[in-house]
Every structure is written in structure tokens, then in C-alpha cells.
Amino acid sequence: MRYPEGGGLTAERRAFREKIRLRAGERFAAGEKTAVIAKDLRVSVRSVERWRRAWREGGMEALRSAGPANSPTVTDAQFAVLEKELGKGPSAHGFDDERWTLARVQTVIRRRWRLSLSVATVWRLLERHGWSWQAPARRALERDEHAVEVEEGGVAEGERVAAAHGAWIVFEEESGFSMTPPRVRTWGRRGHTPVIRVRGRSRRRISVAALCCYKPGVESRLIHRPRNHLLLKGARKNFSWQDYRDLLVRAHIQLSGPIVVVWDNLNTHLAAGLKRYEAEHDWLTTVRLPPYAPDLNPVEALWSLLRRAMANTAFDTPDDLDRVLRRELRRIQLRPHLIDGCLTATGLTLAPPTPPRKPQ
């Protein structure tokens, strides 16, 4: 390792370089030429010329190591304070957007402790304390964090209801997929942007309603229903409450037990017909997620898996889109650990039911 965590050379490396300079000083005294010394010691001619000037002014002592550089550093206690400052966000420190760059962190350190660190030193400092360059997630300004915490408790209450009745806890969400695929980075010749040719006039879309189903001690399940958008005047393009009812009935049959459905406040989810159906069937219980909190729904992570698998895919016809979509959904269905990973991404956990106490 050339540079340790604190920056600068290691003690072994300093001793090695000092030895090279002293050998060069002995050859200066012998009157050897600069180019010959540089070739034999395998260093640059410019370095030998610099050493020769130092040797002329101070002799061999001028070629000895001056010890480790006294470079400014940020202690662990100072970094703890720095993390709190960075946690306030760039706007709190006078920057226009919410991007932490190395130069901006460098500015915060200079303002707080009057330390002048290089950009490379700031990078090493952040890396050493577990920071990395990441793409931020978007979150709505209207989101009420207190309501989210309260509703997380509501999800936990739904989990307790599911555990008490031996039910599945089911998360529902719907999304649309078009003929234009999402783009991801790919290798290409520098200066020549790779091109994906797609249907320019195609407006065909497929909507998918998916259920991520969880029950402690049982393999997770994925149940879905697609809906093709009909290009007819007045044709419905999204799911009706009857479609959601049929999907829940299908889940009840496939899971062979009662279900607790967790979904958002979409107006279709709040339809009077769906509420009436829930009241008439004791195997169905619904729990609402808070507004603007998609990060609490595992199905959102499922859509990310799907779009990543379908990225850069040129669909020629709507049938191609339907075929690839069904294939990728089936691939996830056969891999329960992917469905479990979607739940892990939300930060929610499903605890096994507490066994009843034995009578004493």
C-alpha cells in the first residue's frame, strides 16, 4: 500500500526512498552524470537534478528524510460531528441542490475546523467511514413522516391479525409497462452512443396488478394479473374494483386460507363495492398504507426487478412485451428468495406467531 489511511508514505517507503537519495549523493561526490545516475537508480532525470541541487546546498544531510508529513486530518470525534452536519443536507449549508460532492464536503470541513484537505483526502476519509457515491431516492414533499411511523404500526397490527388467524399478509400494487423499454448503461465505443430502436408510434401498454404474499414458515408467493390496454374509444385502461375483487378471490383460492391485504389509498381500493365485499367475507381484511409511502410496499421493489430484467429490450409487437413480461414474472415466482428480498427492502419484518401458553 503506497499511502496509508491517514495519507502520506509509510515508514518503510520513506526509508526506501531515503536510501535511494543517499546512493545518489555518493555518486554526486564521485562526479557521475545525472542521466547515468537516473538510469541506474531507475528514477526520473528531474528527480536526480532536484536531489543534486539539495546536495550542493546542504550535503548528504539534505538528502535524508524529514519524517512523516504533518498533513491535516479529521479525527473520529470530528467525523461524528461532520456526519451530523452532512445529515442536515446540502441546502442547510447554503448549496442550491441536494448533492453532496467531495468539493462541498471539503468546504464544510474548512468552514467547521479551518482544515484544508485535498479532494483525494476527503474521498479517502468518507470511504474509510463507510460512505459511498449513491443515487438518491425520491420522496414526496407531502409525505407525513409521523403518519408513516403510525401506519407502520398499522401494518404490524395487520401482521398480528394475520398471525392470529393463520392468514397470509399480502401486499398489492399495480404498474404499467410500455413498448418503450427502460434504459441502463451498456458498453459502447467512446463517442458513439449505443442506440436501441423502438416503435415510435406505439402506445400499447400492459398494466399488471401483483400480490406479494408472505406467511412465516411458508415459502413466499407472487400472484399477478395483467390487463392489456385496448385502443378503443371509451375503453377502460386501468383496473376496476371488480378486477381487484377477482384477484383477491384468486389469491384466497391459491393460498388456501384467509388473507390480510395491505395496499395504498387508490380510489378504486376505496370503492363502495369492494368495501361491501370485504364486509361480507370474513376471510378478507384490508389495511391501508399512508399516502406517499411506496417504500413500505414490497411490490415496488418487484417492479424494479422487472424493469431491470427488461431494460434495453426492443419490443417489436405488443405480444413480445406480453411474452417477456410473463416470462420475467414467472422467473420471480420460481425464486421465493427474490420475493423475500422485496420485503427486506422495505425494512418491514414478519415475526412468527407466538405459541399459546400451556395451562399450568
Side-chain angles (χ1 to χ4, degrees):
M1 182 175 63
R2 184 179 180 186
Y3 296 105
E5 292 182 351
L9 298 171
T10 62
E12 294 79 6
R13 194 65 182 174
R14 287 196 303 272
F16 173 76
R17 291 195 174 189
E18 180 186 56
K19 183 178 179 181
I20 295 295
R21 291 194 298 272
L22 293 177
R23 288 175 58 186
E26 294 172 357
R27 300 182 71 165
F28 295 155
E32 297 188 26
K33 296 183 177 180
T34 298
V36 176
I37 297 174
K39 182 178 180 181
D40 292 345
L41 298 182
R42 302 178 68 179
V43 295
S44 67
V45 174
R46 185 171 297 179
S47 295
V48 177
E49 290 176 347
R50 186 172 67 254
W51 298 343
R52 188 183 289 275
R53 287 195 299 269
W55 174 76
R56 286 173 180 168
E57 296 174 0
M60 296 294 287
E61 289 299 321
L63 300 179
R64 296 190 180 278
S65 175
N70 187 21
S71 58
T73 58
V74 175
T75 64
D76 291 342
Q78 289 174 330
F79 189 84
V81 177
L82 177 62
E83 276 194 309
K84 294 180 180 179
E85 294 295 326
L86 298 181
K88 297 177 182 178
S91 59
H93 293 271
F95 300 110
D96 295 333
D97 53 55
E98 295 298 318
R99 291 183 305 153
W100 275 125
T101 63
L102 294 176
R104 290 181 176 183
V105 177
Q106 181 187 44
T107 301
V108 173
I109 294 174
R110 184 170 59 251
R111 291 173 180 173
R112 187 71 172 76
W113 293 287
R114 300 186 180 277
L115 293 177
S116 297
L117 302 184
S118 67
V119 172
T121 302
V122 173
W123 177 80
R124 288 193 296 268
L125 176 70
L126 295 177
E127 283 280 326
R128 186 165 71 248
H129 288 85
W131 285 61
S132 61
W133 181 256
Q134 303 177 32
R138 286 191 292 265
R139 185 160 291 177
L141 290 172
E142 298 85 354
R143 175 182 169 119
D144 186 349
E145 295 295 341
H146 176 70
V148 169
E149 293 180 2
V150 172
E151 291 295 336
E152 281 188 16
V155 174
E157 180 63 29
E159 177 192 341
R160 286 190 286 269
V161 172
H165 295 82
W168 289 75
I169 184 163
V170 176
F171 293 86
E172 191 278 337
E173 184 61 65
E174 57 284 329
S175 183
F177 297 85
S178 68
M179 296 279 290
T180 304
R183 295 176 298 169
V184 295
R185 294 180 181 271
T186 182
W187 284 101
R189 186 177 178 183
R190 185 171 298 171
H192 295 76
T193 304
V195 176
I196 303 172
R197 300 194 177 275
V198 298
R199 291 286 181 182
R201 294 185 177 181
S202 177
R203 294 181 297 169
R204 297 296 297 271
R205 292 173 58 86
I206 298 177
S207 293
V208 179
L211 304 175
C212 285
C213 313
Y214 303 96
K215 187 177 181 180
V218 184
E219 278 192 350
S220 302
R221 303 278 296 276
L222 170 62
I223 300 172
H224 61 86
R225 167 168 288 190
R227 179 187 177 87
N228 292 308
H229 291 197
L230 300 177
L231 298 180
L232 299 175
K233 188 175 182 179
R236 188 181 181 93
K237 295 184 178 180
N238 51 2
F239 289 90
S240 64
W241 74 266
Q242 293 92 341
D243 294 325
Y244 288 117
R245 177 201 60 195
D246 296 342
L247 178 60
L248 297 180
V249 171
R250 177 179 173 185
H252 173 55
I253 295 173
Q254 291 192 14
L255 299 175
S256 302
I259 60 176
V260 176
V261 182
V262 182
W263 53 16
D264 57 22
N265 293 283
L266 184 70
N267 55 358
T268 314
H269 296 163
L270 304 176
L274 200 54
K275 288 185 177 179
R276 185 168 56 252
Y277 185 83
E278 176 187 356
E280 295 172 353
H281 296 80
D282 56 359
W283 56 265
L284 176 61
T285 305
T286 60
V287 177
R288 312 293 177 188
L289 287 171
Y292 306 104
D295 51 306
L296 297 181
N297 197 331
V299 188
E300 292 291 341
L302 174 72
W303 302 141
S304 298
L305 291 176
L306 275 177
R307 291 190 169 89
R308 192 181 310 165
M310 299 169 62
N312 295 0
T313 303
F315 302 110
D316 188 48
T317 64
D319 292 337
D320 289 339
L321 174 61
D322 182 72
R323 175 179 52 82
V324 173
L325 190 58
R326 290 177 183 272
R327 182 193 67 197
E328 294 302 326
L329 285 168
R330 180 59 177 167
R331 181 181 66 86
I332 296 175
Q333 282 181 323
L334 296 176
R335 293 166 173 80
H337 67 278
L338 294 179
I339 309 173
D340 292 336
C342 294
L343 179 65
T344 303
T346 65
L348 301 174
T349 56
L350 298 182
T354 305
R357 295 184 178 179
K358 294 182 179 180
Q360 297 180 354

